[in-house]
Structure formats: C-alpha cells, structure tokens
Amino acid sequence: MQKPSKKSTSKKLIVANWKMNPLKGSEAKKMFLGISKIANNLKNVETVICPPLVYLESLGQLVENRSCVLGAQDAFWEHSGAYTGQVSPDMVFNTKARYVIVGHSERRAMGETDEMVNKKIKSILQFPLIPIVCVGENTRDEDGLYIKDLKIQIRRSLAGLTPFELSRVVIAYEPVWAIGAKAKGVCTPAECREIVQVIQQVAADLSESADHARRITILYGGSVDITNAEGFLENGSVQGLLIGRASLDPKAFTQILKIAEKASK
Ligand code: PGA
C-alpha cells in the first residue's frame, strides 16, 4: 500500500467546497488558477479546492505544489463495478486529488446515513487520501439535547477506525442551521469552541487516547466569509475552515486565505 497522505499539523487548512459550480470547465480553470496563484505562496496555509468531479482530472494538471491541492466532494465505498453514477476513491486518487469530503449535510439530506458515511471513510482511508468528514446538528434546542444526537452522529460515522486511522481524519463541524444562503442563524466562535470539545471528547473515547484525539484536525464550516473567518480561526479552536459560497468568489476566497496566513498558530 502507498504511504498515507500526511496532514500538515501546524498549517491552517482552508477548504473550498464549490458544490455544483461553476457550469463550465473553462470557468473552473480560471477560478483555480486565480486562487492557486495566491495560495501557492502562503507558508502557513494548505488550500484544498473541491470542484465538481468532472473537473478534477483537468484541474489536477494545474496543481503546482502541496500548498494548493484538490479534493473531491464525495466518493463511493466500492472500488469498481456495477454502481451507476458512482465514483470510487481509487478513481479520485488517480486524478491526483488528496482529500475527499464525506457526509456533507446536503448529501445527508438526500438520504446518506451515518453507516454509509462510515463505509466511505473506511474505503477512502485505504488510499493516501484524507477524508473531510462533515458533522453537525440540524437545529439546536434550549436544553442542549442536540449535543447527544451530534455525539451519536460522530460516533457512528467514525465507528471501527483504528487510532491511527482516526488521527488521519479531518472533521468539519458544520451546523446545518448556519449553512448556505437560507441559513436560519449565525454560529459564533464561542459556540463552535464548545462543539470542538465535544468532538475531541468523542474522538478520545473512540481511540481510547486523548493524545490521538488532540491530533485530529477540526474545521468550522457554515457561512464563513471575509467578515467572520478571523474570528473562527482565532477564537473557534479550529485549525481551518470549510467554505461554500465565499469560495466561489476568488477575490473573497483569496482574502480569507490571507487572513488564515496571518492567524496565530
Ligand atoms: P456556506 O457552505 O459557506 O455557503 O455556508 C458551507 C458548506 O456547505 O460546506
């Protein structure tokens, strides 16, 4: 087996989730080149661009170094065969992508279960690929019961991973109520910080090692833009960000990259 891809431990990890955008490959190329021009020169940031799958192969040829790499927005758990419409981690890896987003709330809303997410993570980890596992509650209740559900979601998604596999995983905390143009609320860095502790606690239970749990990279995602990126990086206890809408505007996104470059370690 090839050597597992390593996460950089001290760098900020800034992930662009382009979702189902842009409509043309030529536009994707223009966006990628604009972003990577800045991203390639940053010392404290690793940038991951996750375009639609159809653009991965061609954008892979534009990757210059480890500072700005590519990721897929999903991958199936089987390697090959009669699975119409699916793409395997093997195929993703062969495009030179290094990360795979798994269990995004928009996919969970289309029927993806924790068990499916778990199978995908295990399959992805057989390659030198890093899964970015999205977790987050749909809504919050005043009694804090959502934390119990969130713990169950994290536990089921990460079930059966060895401590070493767990330490290779990136977890993105994405409160569903704070994501996208139709977000119902605003998550604060303080609220994010509380959940980071919850994630670390569950990871420590799963790996039976607080040390392994501390090594897990945790990101925040949900309406991140140039106005709040610094707050999450400085006060959210996270090592990076997962960005949707703001990543489609190369100017705004590169500004966030510069904010991350300056954020304290
Ligand atoms: P948003 O999306 O930044 O547009 O809220 C984040 C995400 O869905 O990953």
Side-chain angles (χ1 to χ4, degrees):
M1 198 186 118
Q2 282 135 318
K3 266 170 76 187
S5 249
K6 278 211 190 97
K7 291 181 292 189
S8 52
T9 44
S10 58
K11 286 187 175 187
K12 299 282 186 248
L13 184 64
I14 307 293
V15 183
N17 178 9
W18 284 359
K19 306 190 181 182
M20 205 167 69
N21 301 287
L23 286 179
K24 288 188 176 162
S26 54
E27 181 62 12
K29 190 174 163 187
K30 209 165 113 195
M31 286 164 64
F32 182 81
L33 286 173
I35 292 166
S36 58
K37 206 165 107 187
I38 308 281
N40 282 337
N41 294 318
L42 302 179
K43 290 193 181 65
N44 304 321
V45 178
E46 180 173 359
T47 304
V48 184
I49 308 291
C50 302
L53 280 168
V54 283
Y55 304 142
L56 269 185
E57 180 105 42
S58 59
L59 295 186
Q61 288 160 21
L62 305 176
V63 171
E64 282 179 21
N65 59 43
R66 282 293 308 263
S67 297
C68 186
V69 297
L70 289 164
Q73 295 175 18
D74 185 38
F76 193 52
W77 57 79
E78 295 289 351
H79 296 299
S80 67
Y83 303 101
T84 303
Q86 302 288 9
V87 169
S88 68
D90 322 42
M91 296 170 185
V92 169
F93 179 68
N94 288 337
T95 69
K96 298 204 175 74
R98 290 296 167 262
Y99 289 80
V100 186
I101 296 174
V102 198
H104 190 280
S105 59
E106 287 155 11
R107 296 201 61 85
R108 290 182 186 264
M110 287 187 270
E112 190 156 300
T113 63
D114 294 334
E115 289 67 29
M116 290 159 83
V117 170
N118 182 253
K119 280 164 94 167
K120 289 182 175 187
I121 296 169
K122 286 178 177 160
S123 183
I124 290 163
L125 284 170
Q126 290 174 32
F127 295 84
L129 289 166
I130 296 169
I132 301 171
V133 184
C134 299
V135 298
E137 73 282 3
N138 287 326
T139 51
R140 286 194 172 198
D141 58 291
E142 282 181 11
D143 301 328
L145 293 176
Y146 69 91
I147 293 194
K148 196 174 140 235
D149 291 340
L150 185 60
K151 282 184 178 172
I152 293 172
Q153 186 193 48
I154 302 168
R155 233 179 254 132
R156 286 188 180 152
S157 301
L158 302 178
L161 300 191
T162 64
F164 175 65
E165 285 172 333
L166 261 179
S167 68
R168 287 183 53 211
V169 166
V170 171
I171 297 183
Y173 170 55
E174 295 213 307
V176 181
W177 49 273
I179 294 178
K182 293 186 189 138
K184 293 193 178 68
V186 176
C187 181
T188 65
E191 287 170 325
C192 173
R193 215 161 51 224
E194 279 169 21
I195 301 300
V196 167
Q197 278 185 7
V198 172
I199 295 171
Q200 282 171 338
Q201 192 192 331
V202 176
D205 289 349
L206 283 171
S207 63
E208 293 174 9
S209 157
D211 191 44
H212 269 104
R214 263 195 302 274
R215 270 192 267 148
I216 292 185
T217 302
I218 302 177
L219 313 180
Y220 171 76
S223 298
V224 173
D225 59 21
I226 51 174
T227 67
N228 59 17
E230 186 180 359
F232 283 107
L233 291 172
E234 297 285 4
N235 304 315
S237 290
V238 288
Q239 290 84 49
L241 304 165
L242 176 50
I243 304 173
R245 279 159 300 156
S247 72
L248 293 171
D249 174 352
K251 246 194 191 157
F253 187 67
T254 49
Q255 202 166 331
I256 295 173
L257 293 180
K258 287 177 189 167
I259 290 169
E261 176 77 356
K262 283 200 202 123
S264 57
K265 289 191 189 163

